[in-house]
Amino acid sequence: MQIGPHLLRNNVFVAPMAGVTDRPFRQLCKELGAGYAVSEMAASNPRLWATEKSSRRTDHTGEMEPKAVQIAGADPKDLADCARFNVERGAQIIDINMGCPVKKVCNAWCGSALLQDEELVKRIVDAVVGAVDVPVTLKFRTGWDRENKNALKIARIAEDAGIAMLTLHGRTRADGYKGDAEYDTIAAVKKSVSIPVVANGDITSPEKAKFVLDYTGADAVMVGRAAQGRPWIFREIDHYLRTGKHLPAPYVDEVRALMDEHLRAHYAFYGDYLGVRTARKHIGWYVRDLEGGEEFRQRMNLLVSTEEQLIAVDQFFESQWRYGERLQYRLAEELQAA
């Protein structure tokens, strides 16, 4: 799998997720087998570029290459300027967001709202591709709603403009994240263009990844919500695609060490005060399918210091040893059913 000059080690990617795929999380996913990761979306409005939030979102210091920044906006000139700004700061790939379904984004005519205006889409991709000398990619949805699916037209516009890769989420903007993603549109897009196509939407397991690749003919899969609290899903999918065999669940001690690494990197990135509070969601995702996870999450959310949080997480994973040397997912549900 290749994007411009960048040869990737596999075709299992991390989806950009606002408030989730910060630098510590992206780096951890890459260490655990992800072949590629894109930053959270950065606003194209130049007044926001110097804000602390925007600066964090585009911070790739020490991150495994290639370094990709996703940009969002509705004005072709602003997006082109934003692309140049981020390339000057070290971005090696620029990704344009036309997939976000969130209301506050779409109400500003950004994200997947842009799919309603194909002429504006053309002006945007032309402007951004022409502004930088690095590969530009596009992430989008199948259409505005199920009656107005125009992914094939958008894909052709993008390819004609020189977009290097397409990532297509198998839902419309109106679908949000409800229902099941569909893959027929992704398969049709793949057949209609000659550039790489990445399938996104409901990639939750190694089996599902293989099914989607086989069904759509896509060049890669992009994993989003399924990676929250389970960043090792990338090595699990990659191993299954290469061998047809499953990796066992990770060792408790490995996850214990990974959690410590992730939290310390998270605190260093955000500072102690904000770090403790923004780490809570990550911790909750890590423990949600483990015995005692919900009770622990509620107690942990009351802790206000990094040291308390580190100790509590360490003790929780120490407690998982009673169920075996490897993590026992869904054990809570199985015990309840028994």
Side-chain angles (χ1 to χ4, degrees):
M1 182 69 195
Q2 191 158 341
I3 307 173
H6 305 290
L7 182 63
L8 310 179
R9 59 177 171 164
N10 64 35
N11 61 344
V12 188
F13 301 168
V14 188
M17 294 175 280
V20 180
T21 48
D22 52 28
R23 191 187 72 203
F25 185 73
R26 292 195 306 271
Q27 184 68 359
L28 184 62
C29 290
K30 288 178 178 180
E31 290 173 4
L32 292 171
Y36 178 64
V38 183
S39 73
E40 307 167 78
M41 61 182 176
S44 63
N45 186 336
R47 289 175 296 177
L48 302 177
W49 294 352
T51 64
E52 187 176 6
K53 184 176 182 180
S54 290
S55 295
R56 268 203 212 98
R57 287 190 168 189
T58 57
D59 185 343
H60 291 262
T61 305
E63 185 176 346
M64 194 183 301
E65 296 184 354
K67 302 172 182 179
V69 172
Q70 186 180 77
I71 59 175
D75 181 86
K77 182 181 182 303
D78 281 352
L79 283 160
D81 290 342
C82 184
R84 276 191 292 263
F85 173 78
N86 280 285
V87 170
E88 289 168 1
R89 297 186 70 216
Q92 296 166 302
I93 297 172
I94 295 293
D95 184 63
I96 305 172
N97 183 316
M98 293 189 189
C100 181
V102 176
K103 283 185 179 179
K104 69 177 182 180
V105 174
C106 289
N107 287 345
W109 270 89
C110 302
S112 52
L114 293 167
L115 300 176
Q116 295 176 94
D117 189 337
E118 293 169 8
E119 178 55 35
L120 179 57
V121 169
K122 183 180 186 310
R123 286 164 47 213
I124 287 172
V125 293
D126 283 342
V128 176
V129 170
V132 294
D133 59 0
V134 303
V136 178
T137 62
L138 175 68
K139 191 172 191 296
F140 66 122
R141 286 189 169 226
T142 56
W144 176 250
D145 57 32
R146 296 186 186 185
E147 288 70 47
N148 295 281
K149 289 186 177 181
N150 59 347
L152 284 171
K153 289 184 180 179
I154 299 296
R156 293 189 189 108
I157 289 170
E159 183 177 32
D160 289 345
I163 290 292
M165 182 180 78
L166 298 169
T167 299
L168 182 55
H169 185 118
R171 289 182 174 90
T172 68
R173 187 272 162 183
D175 290 330
Y177 295 100
K178 301 187 298 291
D180 297 326
E182 57 92 1
Y183 305 114
D184 289 328
T185 304
I186 300 176
V189 166
K190 174 58 188 172
K191 289 179 181 177
S192 73
V193 297
S194 60
I195 56 177
V197 174
V198 183
N200 179 220
D202 297 349
I203 312 294
T204 55
S205 68
E207 295 92 341
K208 188 64 174 289
K210 186 176 189 310
F211 166 79
V212 171
L213 286 170
D214 290 345
Y215 188 87
T216 64
D219 301 278
V221 289
M222 182 171 274
V223 180
R225 289 170 290 167
Q228 294 173 355
R230 193 174 174 177
W232 44 87
I233 193 172
F234 299 100
R235 72 182 182 194
E236 293 175 340
I237 292 175
D238 178 53
H239 183 80
Y240 185 80
L241 293 178
R242 287 186 292 104
T243 69
K245 298 178 181 179
H246 287 279
L247 285 176
Y251 286 105
V252 170
D253 280 352
E254 181 193 12
V255 176
R256 190 176 174 184
L258 285 171
M259 280 294 299
D260 189 76
E261 174 192 340
H262 187 185
L263 289 175
R264 291 182 188 277
H266 192 89
Y267 304 149
F269 190 67
Y270 287 99
D272 288 357
Y273 180 84
L274 187 59
V276 165
R277 287 151 181 81
T278 53
R280 289 170 181 163
K281 62 191 171 193
H282 286 281
I283 297 169
W285 292 326
Y286 276 105
V287 305
R288 62 186 166 190
D289 291 327
L290 300 174
E291 175 63 10
E294 178 57 26
E295 179 186 356
F296 169 73
R297 186 188 67 81
Q298 294 181 22
R299 294 198 319 271
M300 181 272 305
N301 282 345
L302 302 176
L303 304 179
V304 295
S305 77
T306 59
E307 191 61 31
E308 287 177 312
Q309 204 171 63
L310 286 168
I311 291 171
V313 169
D314 187 71
Q315 290 175 343
F316 174 80
F317 281 99
E318 173 70 19
S319 75
Q320 295 301 300
W321 260 100
R322 73 186 69 171
Y323 308 111
E325 64 179 1
R326 294 184 182 273
L327 287 190
Q328 301 294 313
Y329 287 112
R330 294 180 295 278
L331 183 60
E333 290 83 349
E334 292 169 6
L335 290 173
Q336 290 170 2

